[in-house]
Amino acid sequence: MESINLLDATAVIGLMAAVALTFNILFGMLLSCAYKQIPLWKQLPTWLKRLSLLDLHNWTAYIALLLVGLHPTLLLLDKASKFTWVDVLFPIHAPHQKLEVALGTIAFYALIVVMITTQNVVKKRMGFRTWKTIHLISYGTALLFIIHGIFMDPELKDKPVDFLDGEKLVAEICGLVLAMATILRYKYYVNKQKKRLG
């Protein structure tokens, strides 16, 4: 019974991380709109514009990092899963769903890189342009983590994915929102480059 509870907790923590990452990206996009006074920003409600988007963006990043780190830690406590730290850190050794585990591990490493390079000391040494380029990894990081969540069997029995399961639906909605956010961000970047060159 204990192992089922731990596996459930692992899945729920992973889902919470996916939601936190989604909000983090959205707050980051709103923050960018605010800095650049994009027309979308002017159309937002006043109460939203009064929020400290930078604080919300930062806090959701730290919460996401904590949850993403806690997610495999709970899995390790479940003896029936047969996962070890080696399996989590180097998923080629994972006892179940190596590819899916690898996506989660890559997302975790990428999130750490984004968080380290966001610290003021590191950011100043790298320069704004380099930092911004690395910071854009966060879009792919969040998408990778959500894809990991969608295709991973929460019971670790390698069963086919039930895409209509409640938890999977939440992850799928997060993935859809993030995919749309990524496309919008890419279009904005392309338009900005065209204006710069033209």
Side-chain angles (χ1 to χ4, degrees):
M1 191 69 175
E2 180 191 350
S3 61
I4 293 171
N5 289 337
L6 281 172
L7 282 179
D8 285 348
T10 301
V12 169
I13 293 292
L15 193 61
M16 289 167 63
V19 171
L21 284 167
T22 303
F23 275 106
N24 178 258
I25 296 291
L26 293 177
F27 287 138
M29 286 183 75
L30 283 175
L31 189 61
S32 186
C33 290
Y35 284 151
K36 294 168 182 145
Q37 289 297 302
I38 290 171
L40 167 70
W41 180 251
K42 295 170 186 173
Q43 296 170 9
L44 293 174
T46 309
W47 66 267
L48 185 59
K49 290 192 263 192
R50 284 188 186 140
L51 294 174
S52 172
L53 291 173
L54 182 60
D55 286 347
L56 288 170
H57 183 60
N58 288 339
W59 276 108
T60 50
Y62 288 117
I63 290 167
L65 182 63
L66 175 70
L67 292 170
V68 169
L70 186 58
H71 174 64
T73 304
L74 287 176
L75 182 64
L76 294 172
L77 296 174
D78 179 75
K79 292 174 186 172
S81 74
K82 299 178 183 168
F83 270 85
T84 66
W85 277 111
V86 174
D87 302 326
V88 171
L89 298 175
F90 305 100
I92 195 165
H93 299 289
H96 305 279
Q97 296 181 277
K98 288 178 173 55
L99 177 61
E100 290 82 353
V101 175
L103 293 176
T105 301
I106 292 166
F108 180 57
Y109 290 152
L111 187 58
I112 290 171
V113 169
V114 170
M115 295 296 284
I116 288 171
T117 55
T118 301
Q119 303 310 307
N120 284 331
V121 176
V122 181
K123 198 196 247 185
K124 283 177 186 173
R125 287 187 171 225
M126 289 182 356
F128 179 78
R129 188 166 291 186
T130 306
W131 166 77
K132 191 68 176 171
T133 303
I134 292 172
H135 201 67
L136 289 173
I137 293 171
S138 57
Y139 287 86
T141 298
L143 280 170
L144 266 184
F145 187 77
I146 287 169
I147 291 167
H148 152 80
I150 290 170
F151 287 97
M152 194 81 195
D153 175 14
E155 294 178 13
L156 298 178
K157 292 178 180 172
D158 301 330
K159 294 186 301 188
V161 179
D162 178 7
F163 293 106
L164 297 177
D165 173 72
E167 289 178 2
K168 298 293 183 189
L169 280 172
V170 172
E172 288 158 16
I173 290 167
C174 287
L176 186 63
V177 168
L178 281 173
M180 288 167 54
T182 305
I183 290 165
L184 285 172
R185 183 71 175 136
Y186 178 74
K187 281 186 173 180
Y188 173 76
Y189 176 78
V190 169
N191 289 336
K192 189 177 174 184
Q193 292 301 323
K194 282 181 183 174
K195 283 179 184 175
R196 185 181 291 171
L197 296 171

